Amino acid sequence: EAQVTQNPRYLITVTGKKLTVTCSQNMNHEYMSWYRQDPGLGLRQIYYSMNVEVTDKGDVPEGYKVSRKEKRNFPLILESPSPNQTSLYFCASRPGYGNTIYFGEGSWLTVV
Amino acid sequence: KNEVEQSPQNLTAQEGEFITINCSYSVGISALHWLQQHPGGGIVSLFMLSSGKKKHGRLIATINIQEKHSSLHITASHPRDSAVYICAGLDNYGQNFVFGPGTRLSVLP
């Protein structure tokens, strides 16, 4: 089954404690991306990757890092989480330009 | 002014009604996507459009490139159509998405 898998789905953590949200897709897609969704602000792009070792900033990259060492994986790293990073996070992938995008189920992250 | 706007923000309909959700954008885009987000939070892609019209079951999506406008129509609406519908423009490089604020649809039985 074609899918994008994120982990963890739910996490409560403390300010400053590094965390990684993993994202994996089994469709051999070139393009992967991370978004956050906040009430009243909608979905906003954090980072994206056009292929292995190619990443670029989206609209709200501050406080986040990513890496794309393998085609299937695109982890999102919060080196020193802060409460303003409390949000619902989505990973997504698609097979290059002009194609359907597939979303993971979302990760609810709370930073206290 | 947001780059992608949607109307209405909220919509309540009776089962069986014909529904239209509108999306207008002020930036250049290479394609427009319609997404559906269910109450549980998951997001599903409904359509990807760069011109014309697409139909899938009871859903129809249209786009007018000159007017920078797209519509999502739902025929014979059903309570299971209750969700937030989001339009998203893909930039001309095919890299960055700009999202509309979403339209919350409730279909009552």
Side-chain angles (χ1 to χ4, degrees):
Chain A
E1 181 191 351
Q3 59 185 12
V4 178
T5 304
Q6 298 178 224
N7 280 295
R9 295 286 318 283
Y10 304 91
L11 180 64
I12 301 174
T13 190
V14 296
T15 299
K17 185 177 181 182
K18 180 180 177 179
L19 71 93
T20 299
V21 187
T22 63
C23 175
S24 181
Q25 50 96 1
N26 64 358
M27 296 167 279
N28 201 36
H29 289 169
E30 287 83 15
Y31 179 98
M32 297 186 74
S33 50
W34 276 103
Y35 307 90
R36 61 178 290 174
Q37 187 176 37
D38 302 288
L41 297 175
L43 282 159
R44 293 178 292 170
Q45 190 157 346
I46 304 171
Y47 269 96
Y48 62 93
S49 170
M50 300 299 288
N51 214 324
V52 175
E53 302 292 1
V54 181
T55 64
D56 208 346
K57 297 176 181 177
D59 296 321
V60 288
E62 296 78 21
Y64 305 95
K65 284 174 59 177
V66 292
S67 67
R68 187 91 182 273
K69 296 188 172 71
E70 304 165 284
K71 201 171 188 180
R72 66 183 292 124
N73 296 322
F74 190 45
L76 180 70
I77 303 157
L78 286 73
E79 292 273 2
S80 183
S82 61
N84 64 14
Q85 292 179 295
T86 292
S87 187
L88 173 59
Y89 291 87
F90 288 99
C91 180
S93 73
R94 62 181 167 90
Y97 177 81
N99 282 284
T100 299
I101 185 165
Y102 296 82
F103 285 84
E105 293 184 336
S107 295
W108 291 90
L109 173 63
T110 300
V111 184
V112 297
Chain B
K1 189 178 190 308
N2 293 331
E3 294 175 319
V4 179
E5 296 186 328
Q6 291 183 233
S7 63
Q9 274 189 300
N10 295 284
L11 179 57
T12 300
Q14 289 296 134
E15 184 172 356
E17 285 185 5
F18 180 85
I19 288 162
T20 296
I21 298 170
N22 296 299
C23 175
S24 298
Y25 52 93
S26 58
V27 294
I29 64 169
S30 58
L32 187 126
H33 292 243
W34 279 102
L35 310 173
Q36 180 191 56
Q37 185 171 26
H38 277 285
I43 300 175
V44 174
S45 176
L46 298 175
F47 293 104
M48 192 279 295
L49 292 161
S50 53
S51 66
K53 175 180 175 178
K54 287 189 176 179
K55 184 175 189 290
H56 186 257
R58 295 180 294 105
L59 274 59
I60 303 166
T62 64
I63 189 168
N64 185 317
I65 300 293
Q66 286 75 26
E67 293 185 6
K68 295 189 173 180
H69 181 270
S70 176
S71 293
L72 177 68
H73 306 285
I74 304 175
T75 61
S77 59
H78 189 277
R80 65 174 174 267
D81 297 325
S82 298
V84 175
Y85 292 84
I86 302 167
C87 68
L90 183 63
D91 69 22
N92 286 323
Y93 301 100
Q95 295 172 356
N96 216 359
F97 277 99
V98 179
F99 296 90
T103 294
R104 184 175 299 275
L105 171 65
S106 297
V107 182
L108 305 177

